[in-house]
Amino acid sequence: MATQMISAQATFAACAPVASRTRNTVKVSAKGAMFNKGTNALKSVVVQPKRVVRSLAVAPRAEGMKFAGKGLEELVAESKDDRLKHLEEQAMGALKLAVEGFSNPVFPNAMIAGDTVITHLLHRLGYLSSGKCKVMCVDTFHLFPETMEFLKDIEKAYDFKAEIYQAQDCADKSVYDAKYGANLWQINVEEYDRVCKVEPFQRGLKETGCNVMINGRTRWQGIERAWIDLYESAPIGGGLAKVNPLAYWTFEDTFNYIAKYKILHHPLHAQGYPSIGDAKDTIPIPEDGSVKFVDFKFEGKKTAWLDYAQERKGRFVGLKNADGSVKSECGIHVAGAEKTFDRDLWSVDSKVMNIATQEEALALKKADKKSVLVVYAPWCQFCQGMEKEYEELAATLSAEGVTVAKFRGDQDKAFVEANFNTKTYPTINVVGNGEATKYESEDRVAAALSKFAMANM
């Protein structure tokens, strides 16, 4: 459509002088009076289509144009530089307001392209080495190895030390795997986000005493962020001041700025990654890695990175939300991000006994009297789906003197795998005399569960 419009305008502009020479009585005003008479009047002006083509053929070529003695390339370069100066001034003003206007500014740094620009600006303003602005990072235990190594590089270059947060009570990946399972992100991506991203992020903001968060989100990153502003209130703890110094930057602006000041940036940009998240679901764009940012210059067709919403195209690949929609956010920056699963299954007044520790679970297993124990995860849809039936089972069997219990297993994955036949949730066992007999059926109605329990008592 745009091409047709341009062609129509060019045709009219080219044929107007021809019409003037051939029909002296026809006048075309600057206000486009001929358009007011309809298309037939316009057609009467275009009386020599062949001459129109000749007029178009001799039109001056754009690359030869001069504006006040300057060529197009020179003017474009100057305009981009002017834009960067304006954006820089705006971003630095926002950072000054955040750091000078609040007592505990915190910058959660993911070391993506925009974050490296913010790191550079904070350094130039003297806020990093002075400690006026704290930097925190979330290590999900699933990052590219290059990411945490790059953090060390920028810490040394800019003279600061970041506070690193990770899954609670997990000193390293091996502890995390034993506690939650290496494939939690495949079983339930929302719970993975909560454990590895949202909770550590929220804990970091609280422990650093953050009262204003500096963030690298931009409108250019996609429709979910298309209306963010320089200053916002974050949906955390009822409201937290947020400053987005790059809110109005395009992705091209970001790389132009990195190139201009030779800013340290993530090494994976040179391997085809426009944005960097977890290694498990981040890919190059295009997937063949043909576009790269090497030695502060692009290689390949850079529009694959720089077009609108392309920056994050290689993130969250293959992941879907619980409702089946394609995943585009990890949950940190969305409304209600501070929420986790806000209730347990089987309330305190339930007839289902809560087994809170490993020691209690093992004691139940070793007891002479047999019991029924479900190993569950409160976020699991199948556990949620059987809540009512399992409550009914507890009411029925408690009348027979049989204990019906629950043990939350998603935070003790290695333990429940080793002791209670658990690979997925829910897993129901009859336990006692040192043994655990697993219920293999997926029919989780109370009658079927009761029949299994009584047969194994």
Side-chain angles (χ1 to χ4, degrees), residues 275 296 410:
S275 185
F296 303 102
D410 61 315

Side-chain angles (χ1 to χ4, degrees), residues 16-31:
V18 175
S20 297
R21 290 194 300 269
T22 55
R23 295 189 179 184
N24 295 328
T25 58
V26 178
K27 299 292 184 181
V28 181
S29 73
K31 295 182 179 179

Side-chain angles (χ1 to χ4, degrees), residues 6 15 30 34 45 49 88 96 114 154 156 184 187 189 192 199 204 230 267 276 285 305 323 330 359 368 373 390 401:
I6 292 170
C15 71
M34 292 305 300
V45 176
E88 176 188 65
K96 288 177 183 178
I154 60 175
K156 183 177 179 181
L184 175 62
I187 296 172
V189 71
Y192 166 79
E199 190 283 328
L230 214 58
I276 297 94
I285 296 296
W305 286 22
D323 62 3
C330 66
E359 291 74 20
D368 294 335
L373 178 68
Y390 198 69

Side-chain angles (χ1 to χ4, degrees), residues 301-421:
K301 191 176 181 180
K302 64 182 181 180
T303 53
W305 286 22
L306 303 183
D307 280 348
Y308 182 74
Q310 291 295 99
E311 176 181 351
R312 292 158 55 81
K313 188 176 179 180
R315 299 280 298 278
F316 310 111
V317 174
L319 301 183
K320 291 188 176 182
N321 297 307
D323 62 3
S325 60
V326 176
K327 192 167 184 62
S328 61
E329 293 277 2
C330 66
I332 286 176
H333 299 295
V334 299
E338 73 279 10
K339 288 186 178 181
T340 58
F341 192 89
D342 55 8
R343 75 170 185 88
D344 199 2
L345 300 182
W346 302 288
S347 61
V348 292
D349 57 353
S350 167
K351 292 188 179 298
V352 178
M353 177 186 291
N354 181 43
I355 304 299
T357 67
Q358 293 183 4
E359 291 74 20
E360 290 176 3
L362 290 175
L364 197 69
K365 182 179 179 181
K366 293 175 182 177
D368 294 335
K369 188 176 181 180
K370 291 189 175 182
S371 304
V372 180
L373 178 68
V374 61
V375 179
Y376 74 102
W379 44 262
C380 170
Q381 61 178 319
F382 302 108
C383 297
Q384 295 167 12
M386 66 166 280
E387 185 177 17
K388 182 179 178 181
E389 295 293 333
Y390 198 69
E391 182 67 46
E392 185 178 329
L393 175 72
T396 300
L397 294 188
S398 62
E400 303 292 331
V402 178
T403 296
V404 176
K406 65 173 183 174
F407 180 74
R408 182 169 178 174
D410 61 315
Q411 297 179 349
D412 271 308
K413 190 72 183 293
F415 172 74
V416 295
E417 283 183 352
N419 294 283
F420 295 99
N421 306 310

